[in-house]
Amino acid sequence: MQNKIFALQELSKNLWWSWDTEAKQIFEELSPLLWERNNHNPIDLLHQISDNELLARSNSKFGEKIDRAYARFQAYLTEKNTWAANNTPELVKNPVAYFSAEFGIHESMRIYSGGLGVLAGDHLKSASDLGINFIGITLFYREGYFRQHLNHDGWQIEDYPLQHPENLPLEKVTNPDGGDLIISVNIAQSDVFAQVWKLKVGRATLYLLDSNTMANESHYRDICCRVYGGDQNMRINQEILLGIGGVKLLSQLGIKPTVYHMNEGHSAFLTLELLAKELASGVSEKEAIENVRSQCVFTTHTPVPAGHDRFSRDMMHYTFDKYLANSGMSFDNMMLLGSEDKKNIHGLFTMTVLALNLSRSANGVSKLHGEVSRTMWQHLFPTNTVNEVPIGHITNGVHTSTWACGYTESFWRNFTENIDDMTLTQEATEAVLAQITDEDLWSLRYNLKRHLFDFIDKYLANQLFHQHQHLSLYQNDYFSIQSVNNTLSADVLTIGFARRFATYKRAPLIFRDLERLNRIINHPSRPLQIVFAGKAHPHDDAGKDYIRQIVDHARRPQFAGKVIFLENYNLGVAKRMVSGVDVWLNTPVRPMEASGTSGEKNVLHGGLNFSVLDGWWPEAYNGENGFSIGNGESFENHEEQDSFDAEQMYAALETQIIPAFYDRNENNIPVQWIKKIRNAIATIAPEYNTHRMVRDYATRYYVKH
Ligand SMILES: *Cc1c(COP(=O)(O)O)cnc(C)c1O
C-alpha cells in the first residue's frame, strides 16, 4: 500500500501526467474541489491530503488505477524502441539543448506568456515522446506571468502571485558534494549568481536558472521575477542569464549538446559564450565563428521588424565591457555580429542578426512566415536573391495528447488504440474516420459544448463575484450581470476567440458593424454566440482597451449572455475553449501572425477554423476544411484593411458558416458541417502537430548533414 503513495508522488513530480488522461484523472479524483482550486497542481494537492486518506483510498479500484498509470509511466521512461532510436540515433546519444525564454507546459507552471511558450512546451513533450535526448533551458520566474482580473469597468488588473518551488515539481540541482550548484554570469561590473532547478517532462529535462538568491544584489534577483517584465535593461539581463548562463550550466554539468537550438532571438547571447570558449582554446576568431555556427540552429518567430530585440550601443558597452575583457573578443567585433549594417557598427545590436550570423541553419514557423523572413532579412545577405536567403521554414504544430481533453481522447480511443494514431498520415486518419458515423461526431460536438458551458457557468459566477463584490448589491448592473449566467445554449453556433490581446490580432473586429452583428447574433432561428478570452501585455494599454471594448459590448442588452469574456486566459482555459466551441476565429493583420497554433488545437475536437489567410492557415486551408476571411488581400491603410476584412467576415458568416451549421437532414444532422469536420480532421491533424514538427527539426536541422 505504502508503494501507492510513492507512486502518486513520483507521478506528481514529472509533468508526463499532464498528457496522460488517466494519470490526470487520478489526481482530479482525489479531490475535484482542491484540484480546481490549486490550478490543477498535483504537488499542492498531495500536500493537502493525508497519508491516512491516501492509504485508505488506494485500497480499492482507485489503487488499481494508480498501479496502471505508474506502470505506464515506467514503461514510457524506459522504452528503447523510439522514433529517434530508429531514425536519428545520434540524437539519442548526445542531447539537443533547446533555449527558450518561456515554456508553456501546464497551467500550474506559470513560466510562459503566450504562443511562443506554448510552442516550446509542446516541442519539449514531442521530443520526449519521440525519444530524442532533449534538454530545455529557461529561467524560473518567481512571479511568472500575471494572473488577469477585470475590474467592473472591464479594465485588466494584473496580479502576480508568487510561485513557490516546494509547491512545484522542481528539484534543486546540486553538486556531487551535495551543495547547491551555482553558476555565475558577468553583467556590467557585477557577477550575478544563479541557482538551478530541474523539471522532468517525460524523458526530457528542463533546467531553470534562478537568480533569486541572497548572493545577488536585489536588482539582479529581480531578473527572475517576471516573464518579459521590466525595461530594456531588465530584458538584456534576462537574456544574458538565459543565453550565457545556460551555456555555463551545461558546461558545469558536463553536458555536451550535439546542437544548440535558439527558440527566438532572446537566447542568442549563448553564441557569445560559445565563441569565448572557442577563443580560449586558441583558435582564430574566424575559426571560432565557424565552429560555433556549426553547432547552432535558430528559429525566428517575429514577422514585424519592431518585434525583434535590439539594444543600444551604449547599453551593450555598459553591460558587456567587463565580460569581453575576459573573452578574447573585441567590442567592435561583437557589435559586428549583431549589426544589421556591416558598415555601421555604431547602430543597434539586434539579437536576430546575432542568431542568424552564428547559426548553421535558420527557419521561420510557417511557409508564409519563411517567405516574409527571407524578405525581411535579405539586406543581411546582399549577394543573395530573396529566394536564396538562408531561412527556411518548419510550420508549427501542437502536442496532440496535451490538447485533447479527456472526453475527446476517450472518444478516439473507441476507434483506435492511441490518439497519436490520428497524427500519422491522412490515410490512417481517414481509415479511422470511416468507422465513425455522422451521429457519433455530432454527439461528440454536443458533449464537448456541454462540458464547456458547464465550465463557463461556474467560472463566470466566480469572475463576476470578484468583479462586483465591492459594488453595492442594490446597484442595478450587479443584477443584470449576474443574470448573464447559464444563458449559453448548446444548440447555438458558438465562436471562440482567445489569444494574447496584441493589437494586430484585432480582437474587436467582429464588432465593427454592431447592427449587422446584432442581426446575426439574435437571428430568431439561426443565432450565434461568442466566447472571448485573452490577456494584454501589462504595458500595452491599446490591448487593454480592446478588452474593455469587448466587455462593454458584452454588456449591451442585445449581446448580454451571448457574448462572453472569460478572464485569465491560460493553458487550462485554452483547453476548455478549443474543445468546446464550434468555430475558432482568427483575425490577424496578414502577415503579422508568424504561425499561430491555437486553431490547430481544436481539430480533433471537431472544431472548424475561420481565419484570415495568415500564419499556418494558408498552407492548411483547402476550401473544404474550414473557412477563410478574404483571400489574403493586403491594404496599406489600416482602416481599409479592417473594413474589408470585417465585411468578408460577416459575409462568410451569413452565406457559408451559419447555413452549413443550421441546415439539417431528416435526422437533424448538419451534413455539410460534419463533412467539413471530417475533412479538417483528415487534412489538419496528421500535419499540424508537434510530432511531425519535431521530426522535421530532427531530420532537417538537428542531424548534421
Ligand atoms: C495556444 C495558445 C497560445 C497561442 O495561440 P495563437 O494561435 O498563437 O494566438 C497562446 N496562449 C495560450 C494560453 C495558448 O494555449
Side-chain angles (χ1 to χ4, degrees):
M1 269 310 120
Q2 198 70 41
N3 62 2
K4 291 206 171 45
I5 298 187
F6 174 80
L8 274 176
Q9 278 163 348
E10 289 299 296
L11 285 171
S12 76
K13 289 183 202 158
N14 185 320
L15 282 166
W16 172 84
W17 66 260
S18 71
W19 71 98
D20 183 89
T21 304
E22 193 180 40
K24 194 167 23 183
Q25 280 164 356
I26 288 170
F27 294 122
E28 181 172 9
E29 196 175 326
L30 276 173
S31 168
L33 179 78
L34 292 177
W35 182 244
E36 280 308 316
R37 197 176 279 169
N38 66 25
N39 212 10
H40 313 148
N41 177 341
I43 304 247
D44 216 359
L45 177 82
L46 290 177
H47 284 165
Q48 296 175 64
I49 299 183
S50 73
D51 283 2
N52 290 335
E53 178 178 344
L54 291 178
L55 275 175
R57 291 179 64 185
S58 33
N59 197 5
S60 67
K61 279 262 181 271
F62 186 59
E64 288 166 27
K65 263 198 212 174
I66 299 176
D67 288 340
R68 253 195 331 265
Y70 189 65
R72 207 163 47 249
F73 175 53
Q74 289 303 321
Y76 179 90
L77 292 182
T78 50
E79 175 65 60
K80 291 279 179 283
N81 185 23
T82 62
W83 176 86
N86 295 318
N87 293 278
T88 56
E90 63 260 60
L91 302 181
V92 178
K93 228 166 96 211
N94 292 314
V96 174
Y98 179 92
F99 285 62
S100 181
E102 46 170 320
F103 277 87
I105 305 168
H106 185 259
E107 58 267 25
S108 59
M109 285 286 310
R110 295 184 300 103
I111 53 170
Y112 65 94
S113 116
L116 183 73
V118 177
L119 180 80
D122 282 3
H123 192 126
L124 191 66
K125 292 171 189 173
S126 276
S128 165
D129 288 346
L130 295 171
I132 295 173
N133 186 347
F134 203 82
I135 288 176
I137 308 270
T138 192
L139 305 181
F140 178 52
Y141 306 92
R142 287 294 162 132
E143 297 186 357
Y145 201 56
F146 66 94
R147 203 164 58 183
Q148 177 195 53
H149 293 288
L150 300 177
N151 71 11
H152 62 277
D153 297 322
W155 194 253
Q156 170 177 297
I157 307 294
E158 297 105 25
D159 109 64
Y160 290 89
L162 276 182
Q163 313 194 80
H164 299 285
E166 61 277 16
N167 281 339
L168 296 169
L170 298 177
E171 188 190 321
K172 184 76 88 50
V173 178
T174 53
N175 287 316
D177 68 8
D180 290 354
L181 184 140
I182 302 285
I183 61 119
S184 78
V185 293
N186 194 257
I187 298 180
Q189 295 305 311
S190 305
D191 287 320
V192 175
F193 301 95
Q195 54 190 351
V196 185
W197 304 93
K198 190 161 116 173
L199 173 68
K200 299 299 290 176
V201 184
R203 287 183 276 246
T205 302
L206 178 62
Y207 289 102
L208 304 97
L209 298 159
D210 177 8
S211 70
N212 191 6
T213 87
M214 296 314 276
N216 289 327
E217 299 162 49
S218 77
H219 61 286
Y220 288 129
R221 269 179 247 158
D222 288 347
I223 293 174
C224 290
C225 188
R226 295 179 180 180
V227 184
Y228 308 133
D231 55 9
Q232 279 292 93
N233 199 42
M234 176 63 82
R235 183 60 79 96
I236 200 171
N237 292 350
Q238 289 187 331
E239 295 186 356
I240 288 174
L241 184 59
L242 175 65
I244 295 178
V247 171
K248 290 196 159 186
L249 169 67
L250 293 170
S251 302
Q252 238 162 287
L253 292 170
I255 294 171
K256 292 197 178 62
T258 172
V259 61
Y260 294 83
H261 185 173
M262 294 173 260
N263 186 43
E264 189 52 303
H266 306 125
S267 58
F269 287 141
L270 74 85
T271 60
L272 297 183
E273 180 64 13
L274 293 176
L275 274 177
K277 283 166 52 146
E278 290 290 332
L279 291 169
S281 77
V283 303
S284 72
E285 196 157 317
K286 188 156 171 280
E287 249 178 296
I289 289 178
E290 273 322 302
N291 292 346
V292 173
R293 275 178 62 93
S294 74
Q295 302 171 60
C296 297
V297 300
F298 169 52
T299 302
T300 176
H301 291 262
T302 318
V304 210
H308 294 258
D309 271 332
R310 291 179 165 84
F311 300 115
S312 73
R313 188 179 165 90
D314 282 350
M315 183 173 273
M316 292 300 287
H317 253 311
Y318 174 79
T319 315
F320 274 101
D321 276 353
K322 187 168 170 212
Y323 175 81
L324 290 174
N326 305 313
S327 78
M329 200 184 336
S330 72
F331 181 77
D332 283 352
N333 283 358
M334 177 185 74
M335 288 304 289
L336 192 60
L337 293 172
S339 294
E340 289 202 47
D341 177 358
K342 291 201 169 61
K343 295 191 199 71
N344 172 20
I345 55 166
H346 297 281
L348 298 172
F349 186 93
T350 304
M351 296 300 275
T352 303
V353 176
L354 175 66
L356 287 170
N357 279 330
L358 285 167
S359 298
R360 68 177 189 227
S361 57
N363 70 287
V365 289
S366 67
K367 185 161 177 280
L368 177 62
H369 178 235
E371 288 161 18
V372 169
S373 301
R374 285 190 288 280
T375 307
M376 196 161 122
W377 299 109
Q378 190 193 2
H379 59 285
L380 300 180
F381 307 90
T383 58
N384 295 19
T385 64
V386 171
N387 287 331
E388 292 165 350
V389 170
I391 302 178
H393 81 270
I394 290 182
T395 305
N396 285 344
V398 294
H399 186 252
T400 307
S401 38
T402 291
W403 289 102
C405 68
Y407 191 86
T408 296
E409 208 247 0
S410 66
F411 175 85
W412 291 108
R413 263 200 289 112
N414 291 327
F415 306 100
T416 182
E417 208 167 298
N418 187 320
I419 194 162
D420 276 345
D421 298 345
M422 302 299 288
T423 69
L424 296 173
T425 61
Q426 184 166 335
E427 293 68 40
T429 307
E430 278 169 351
V432 175
L433 283 166
Q435 311 167 45
I436 298 177
T437 64
D438 285 1
E439 283 73 11
D440 290 333
L441 281 169
W442 197 228
S443 83
L444 171 71
R445 289 302 316 140
Y446 260 102
N447 274 294
L448 292 172
K449 261 162 112 166
R450 176 53 57 204
H451 280 297
L452 173 64
F453 295 168
D454 284 0
F455 163 77
I456 288 179
D457 196 69
K458 268 200 272 182
Y459 196 83
L460 218 49
N462 199 21
Q463 170 176 332
L464 293 170
F465 175 74
H466 287 290
Q467 236 171 64
H468 296 274
Q469 59 186 348
H470 55 283
L471 293 185
S472 153
L473 276 180
Y474 299 101
Q475 258 171 286
N476 284 335
D477 72 333
Y478 178 81
F479 287 109
S480 68
I481 286 158
Q482 284 297 296
S483 67
V484 158
N485 283 344
N486 212 4
T487 51
L488 292 174
S489 158
D491 290 324
V492 175
L493 173 63
T494 305
I495 290 184
F497 181 105
R499 32 189 42 92
R500 285 187 304 116
F501 267 53
T503 44
Y504 78 84
K505 295 185 187 241
R506 297 188 296 184
L509 191 68
I510 201 166
F511 297 101
R512 220 177 142 83
D513 182 342
L514 289 177
E515 266 315 299
R516 194 158 173 191
L517 183 63
N518 183 20
R519 286 198 298 276
I520 295 174
I521 285 189
N522 290 305
H523 190 281
S525 58
R526 301 185 155 199
L528 176 75
Q529 52 201 12
I530 316 177
V531 183
F532 285 93
K535 294 173 174 178
H537 187 278
H539 298 161
D540 180 10
D541 279 350
K544 291 186 202 177
D545 192 60
Y546 276 8
I547 295 174
R548 190 196 52 75
Q549 285 176 31
I550 292 174
V551 173
D552 258 7
H553 291 309
R555 287 180 184 166
R556 290 170 190 266
Q558 70 271 36
F559 297 143
K562 295 160 186 162
V563 174
I564 302 282
F565 192 100
L566 302 177
E567 66 184 18
N568 200 35
Y569 184 47
N570 63 19
L571 286 165
V573 174
K575 192 160 167 174
R576 300 284 190 165
M577 284 184 67
V578 295
S579 61
V581 301
D582 298 302
V583 171
W584 194 252
L585 175 66
N586 185 33
T587 53
V589 178
R590 178 181 152 115
M592 291 173 82
E593 192 64 87
S595 167
T597 54
S598 54
E600 300 170 351
K601 299 167 187 166
N602 73 16
V603 175
L604 285 176
H605 304 285
L608 292 174
N609 278 279
F610 178 31
S611 171
V612 169
L613 288 176
D614 196 14
W616 70 287
W617 192 230
E619 276 163 72
Y621 178 59
N622 64 13
E624 301 296 331
N625 59 359
F627 307 94
S628 79
I629 299 173
N631 255 316
E633 296 86 348
S634 277
F635 298 85
E636 286 293 316
N637 179 299
H638 285 304
E639 273 298 308
E640 232 176 301
Q641 184 79 56
D642 289 357
S643 295
F644 181 85
D645 289 343
E647 171 58 37
Q648 295 288 319
M649 173 165 49
Y650 294 128
L653 276 170
E654 290 161 347
T655 63
Q656 300 172 43
I657 299 180
I658 291 170
F661 184 85
Y662 284 109
D663 285 352
R664 304 291 163 90
N665 72 4
E666 61 283 3
N667 299 325
N668 203 23
I669 299 286
V671 179
Q672 286 311 310
W673 193 262
I674 303 261
K675 209 169 143 204
K676 284 187 191 294
I677 292 177
R678 289 179 185 276
N679 196 319
I681 292 170
T683 57
I684 298 173
E687 192 60 27
Y688 299 91
N689 63 76
T690 41
H691 279 24
R692 187 275 306 152
M693 181 188 87
V694 173
R695 287 195 300 262
D696 282 352
Y697 276 107
T699 52
R700 290 172 48 197
Y701 290 145
Y702 293 165
V703 169
K704 266 199 183 141
H705 292 285

